[in-house]
Amino acid sequence: MFSSLGVECNILELDQVDDGANVQEVLSEITNQRTVPNIFVNKVHMGGCDRTFQAHQSGLLQKLLQEDSAYEYDLIVIGGGSGGLACAQEAAILGKKVMVLDFVVPTPQGTSWGLGGTCVNVGCVPKKLMHQAALLGQELKDARKFGWEYSHQVKHNWETMIEAIQNHIGSLNWGYRLSLREKAVTYVNSYGEFVEHHKIKATNRKGQETYYTARKFVLATGQRPRYLGIPGDKEYCITSDDLFSLPYCPGKTLVVGASYVALECGGFLAGIGLDVTIMVRSILLRGFDQEMAEKVGSYMEQHGVKFLRKFVPVMVQQLEKGSPGKLKVVAKSTEGPETIEEIYNTVLLAIGRASCTRKIGLEKIGVKVNEKSGKIPVNDVEQTNVPYVYAVGDILEGKLELTPIAIQAGKLLARRLFAGSLEKCDYVNVPTTVFTPLEYGCCGLSEEKAIEVHRKENLEVRLCFTWWGEWAVPGVVNLVVGCELSESQKDEVEVNHERLWTLENNLRGFKWWGGGRLGEPGGGC
């Protein structure tokens, strides 16, 4: 085929060279392909015969056969979040010409934000700061037990908190732009959409369109909150995309959902003194250890958060406009015909997130997308089924949705693409923390997942109850630590799972390892 196209190609017969076995091993490591032929075109791995012929039929092969100078950029990254920025900056450090396209589609309530992605603007950063605001309120109460006396009434000011948090986020946005400029990365505040192979259309806020080409692309578009699809949800409800810059105190709030986002938001809203109800369809913290999840929920109930279980909203109606206004929520039982009504000032939806992969033209270049989830399947080097398109972050199918993981994956991807590195991102046993009022940190398998993987008869489940001295005076509850160990694999990291739940801003515990124990702090994002 290459001869018929008039293309010069080099053929390496591995069974005819002295180090053929070593070359095959390196190729397998780079491409995750163990069969031959193993075809590369202009440094892009095509795969075997079938994929090369498919690329020829689709026109992709002809594009790849063009000289690299035919493209304006070595790399275009679509998405200016943690993973995308990490990849772009690392590629620029390695001497490549890089562009970042980033555009925030406003929420139904009109909220948008600057460069940096979810974590910086509407995720980890503001969430932890609001969580800290709630913890400080609890510290004030505990301080009296330690002898601190104050007569003035202490109250929380929402507007003051929002202003301080948004000022901090603004400084981070500017820092990211400055960092891109210093590394000579082109930043374009436009919406990116593929129009053909290696070519993308960028549309700015004014609707002006510009076209760019690149040899390689990285998708880092992230996710956005889902809506219920019921009357009044987009018109009157908010999500975490709106909450962290909300200009007024939300007042009496209904949080819909049982995800970590739902419990974290409900927790800090209650912690600053608001009336909070969390409506739960089924279980708390799906995917996390359920014993720990219920302990978190129980603690929140003891500290004023109301839980409405086995109900889902079916309608949200505005009764009064205002900041906040009044909303009537009609909900239906998941176990029968019962319906209930209640009045709230704010309804916060936290029912999951949808990948931003549907409207960026992936179908035009043949990138496979999971039809149900919108997530993108990749191999172990973050490569999609289209050889020059890669993906990092929350849009990856079957991977952890954590900021530190996206950053690491982005950096390692750039090094593999442009520096000859072979190091891959490790998605196993990554610690993470849920910043509920009772913080919960974990690493490895939940007990439910451990039973599924290793079977119950092969597991040892240990729980430890302890009490930090500084918590004795204000009278807070025990710290619980637990783990699951497989008898047959006690020395393997995969089954050394740590469960811990803590109070205040301390996240620490013991990891039980066989017959001994190691003190280890939790972490994550």
Side-chain angles (χ1 to χ4, degrees), residues 130-142:
M130 289 193 177
H131 174 64
Q132 176 65 11
L135 293 180
L136 289 172
Q138 183 62 49
E139 292 286 351
L140 285 170
K141 297 176 183 177
D142 292 346

Side-chain angles (χ1 to χ4, degrees), residues 157-169:
N157 186 294
W158 176 272
E159 290 79 7
T160 299
M161 177 184 69
I162 290 295
E163 181 181 5
I165 290 174
Q166 287 303 310
N167 286 342
H168 174 62
I169 291 173

Side-chain angles (χ1 to χ4, degrees), residues 44 91 118 205-206 213 229 287 332 338 350 457 468 478 486 513 519 521:
V44 174
T118 295
R205 295 183 185 278
K206 297 179 180 180
T213 60
K332 182 180 183 302
E338 180 186 2
E457 60 269 25
W468 302 123
N478 289 352
S486 165
W513 187 284

Side-chain angles (χ1 to χ4, degrees), residues 355-429:
S355 297
C356 301
T357 57
R358 305 286 190 186
K359 299 179 180 179
I360 57 174
L362 296 182
E363 71 284 353
K364 295 176 183 175
I365 59 170
V367 173
K368 290 181 180 178
V369 177
N370 184 305
E371 288 299 322
K372 183 177 180 180
S373 67
K375 287 182 173 284
I376 298 176
V378 296
N379 59 19
D380 63 350
V381 290
E382 285 81 45
Q383 186 182 41
T384 71
N385 64 300
V386 175
Y388 65 88
V389 180
Y390 298 78
V392 296
D394 292 357
I395 60 175
L396 298 190
E397 186 174 62
K399 306 296 186 185
L400 295 171
E401 299 174 5
L402 296 170
T403 296
I405 279 286
I407 293 171
Q408 179 75 346
K411 289 181 178 179
L412 293 179
L413 174 57
R415 292 170 191 169
R416 289 195 305 273
L417 292 177
F418 303 117
S421 172
L422 299 179
E423 186 178 359
K424 303 172 185 177
C425 186
D426 184 356
Y427 292 91
V428 179
N429 294 319

Side-chain angles (χ1 to χ4, degrees), residues 14 18 35 58 61 70 130 153 191 198 206 231-232 242 296 387 480 505 511:
L14 297 181
D18 293 337
T35 58
S58 69
L61 180 60
M130 289 193 177
Q153 180 182 2
Y191 188 92
H198 291 278
K206 297 179 180 180
D242 306 292
V296 168
V480 177
N505 209 28
K511 175 175 285 186

Side-chain angles (χ1 to χ4, degrees), residues 326-346:
K326 285 187 178 181
L327 303 173
K328 181 174 78 171
V329 177
V330 180
K332 182 180 183 302
S333 170
T334 61
E335 299 180 325
E338 180 186 2
T339 60
I340 58 173
E341 296 182 2
E342 184 58 76
I343 308 299
Y344 300 95
N345 299 118
T346 299

Side-chain angles (χ1 to χ4, degrees), residues 232-476:
D233 62 343
K234 290 187 177 181
E235 293 87 349
Y236 308 123
C237 300
I238 66 170
T239 69
S240 56
D241 280 358
D242 306 292
L243 178 64
F244 299 113
S245 59
L246 199 66
Y248 55 85
C249 180
K252 182 181 178 181
T253 301
L254 172 68
V255 179
V256 181
S259 64
Y260 69 90
V261 176
L263 298 191
E264 287 173 340
C265 292
F268 65 66
L269 290 175
I272 62 172
L274 302 185
D275 183 343
V276 176
T277 300
I278 299 179
M279 185 177 290
V280 180
R281 177 176 60 88
S282 54
I283 63 173
L284 303 180
L285 297 176
R286 185 178 300 278
F288 289 88
D289 188 286
Q290 284 304 293
E291 185 175 5
M292 295 296 102
E294 285 302 321
K295 290 185 182 298
V296 168
S298 175
Y299 180 88
M300 292 177 69
E301 282 190 293
Q302 293 170 20
H303 288 75
V305 177
K306 296 183 284 292
F307 282 87
L308 189 57
R309 299 206 182 215
K310 306 295 184 182
F311 276 88
V312 292
V314 293
M315 184 185 72
V316 179
Q317 180 184 355
Q318 186 181 62
L319 300 180
E320 292 181 13
K321 294 182 178 181
S323 301
K326 285 187 178 181
L327 303 173
K328 181 174 78 171
V329 177
V330 180
K332 182 180 183 302
S333 170
T334 61
E335 299 180 325
E338 180 186 2
T339 60
I340 58 173
E341 296 182 2
E342 184 58 76
I343 308 299
Y344 300 95
N345 299 118
T346 299
V347 177
L348 172 67
L349 304 181
I351 57 170
R353 299 174 66 81
S355 297
C356 301
T357 57
R358 305 286 190 186
K359 299 179 180 179
I360 57 174
L362 296 182
E363 71 284 353
K364 295 176 183 175
I365 59 170
V367 173
K368 290 181 180 178
V369 177
N370 184 305
E371 288 299 322
K372 183 177 180 180
S373 67
K375 287 182 173 284
I376 298 176
V378 296
N379 59 19
D380 63 350
V381 290
E382 285 81 45
Q383 186 182 41
T384 71
N385 64 300
V386 175
Y388 65 88
V389 180
Y390 298 78
V392 296
D394 292 357
I395 60 175
L396 298 190
E397 186 174 62
K399 306 296 186 185
L400 295 171
E401 299 174 5
L402 296 170
T403 296
I405 279 286
I407 293 171
Q408 179 75 346
K411 289 181 178 179
L412 293 179
L413 174 57
R415 292 170 191 169
R416 289 195 305 273
L417 292 177
F418 303 117
S421 172
L422 299 179
E423 186 178 359
K424 303 172 185 177
C425 186
D426 184 356
Y427 292 91
V428 179
N429 294 319
V430 179
T432 187
T433 303
V434 181
F435 287 90
T436 39
L438 187 61
E439 294 166 346
Y440 164 37
C442 61
C443 180
L445 304 179
S446 65
E447 182 174 346
E448 292 79 14
K449 189 65 177 179
I451 291 172
E452 178 186 330
V453 172
H454 299 291
R455 294 188 302 179
K456 190 171 184 178
E457 60 269 25
N458 295 322
L459 294 177
E460 221 177 297
V461 180
R462 301 183 182 182
L463 286 176
C464 171
F465 291 82
T466 188
W467 189 301
W468 302 123
E470 61 266 31
W471 296 342
V473 172
V476 297

Side-chain angles (χ1 to χ4, degrees), residues 11-227:
I11 301 173
L12 180 64
E13 298 283 356
L14 297 181
D15 58 351
Q16 296 180 15
V17 296
D18 293 337
D19 59 346
N22 291 331
V23 174
Q24 178 65 30
E25 185 178 346
V26 172
L27 282 173
S28 297
E29 182 71 20
I30 294 173
T31 67
N32 201 34
Q33 177 182 326
R34 300 188 178 276
T35 58
V36 291
N38 209 331
I39 301 170
F40 290 80
V41 177
N42 275 338
K43 302 180 182 180
V44 174
H45 178 239
M46 297 299 301
C49 283
D50 290 344
R51 287 188 65 176
T52 305
F53 279 116
Q54 290 170 5
H56 177 50
Q57 292 170 359
S58 69
L60 172 60
L61 180 60
Q62 287 77 358
K63 288 282 187 180
L64 291 174
L65 289 171
Q66 297 176 15
E67 294 294 326
D68 287 353
S69 59
Y71 303 119
E72 299 170 82
Y73 291 89
D74 296 303
L75 175 69
I76 290 181
V77 177
I78 307 173
S82 301
L85 292 177
C87 184
Q89 293 184 84
E90 191 70 17
I93 290 171
L94 295 171
K96 298 304 174 181
K97 187 178 180 182
V98 183
M99 170 183 280
V100 171
L101 287 171
D102 185 66
F103 185 87
V104 178
V105 177
T107 71
Q109 302 301 321
T111 308
S112 61
W113 49 88
L115 184 64
T118 295
C119 181
V120 169
N121 293 282
V122 290
C124 316
V125 172
K127 169 193 72 181
K128 290 175 183 175
L129 293 175
M130 289 193 177
H131 174 64
Q132 176 65 11
L135 293 180
L136 289 172
Q138 183 62 49
E139 292 286 351
L140 285 170
K141 297 176 183 177
D142 292 346
R144 292 186 183 276
K145 296 288 184 69
F146 286 95
W148 287 96
E149 299 177 356
Y150 49 89
S151 56
H152 295 291
Q153 180 182 2
V154 179
K155 63 179 182 179
H156 184 265
N157 186 294
W158 176 272
E159 290 79 7
T160 299
M161 177 184 69
I162 290 295
E163 181 181 5
I165 290 174
Q166 287 303 310
N167 286 342
H168 174 62
I169 291 173
S171 70
L172 296 178
N173 297 147
W174 172 248
Y176 283 124
R177 295 188 66 167
L178 185 62
S179 181
L180 291 180
R181 185 184 305 171
E182 290 173 344
K183 294 177 177 63
V185 175
T186 302
Y187 164 59
V188 178
N189 182 208
S190 295
Y191 188 92
E193 180 183 356
F194 284 97
V195 292
E196 60 182 70
H197 284 296
H198 291 278
K199 188 173 184 179
I200 200 164
K201 177 177 70 176
T203 307
N204 66 18
R205 295 183 185 278
K206 297 179 180 180
Q208 297 169 332
E209 298 176 354
T210 309
Y211 295 85
Y212 303 99
T213 60
R215 184 161 64 92
K216 298 181 186 295
F217 289 82
V218 171
L219 309 176
T221 50
Q223 298 181 310
R224 298 290 291 271
R226 295 181 185 273
Y227 285 80

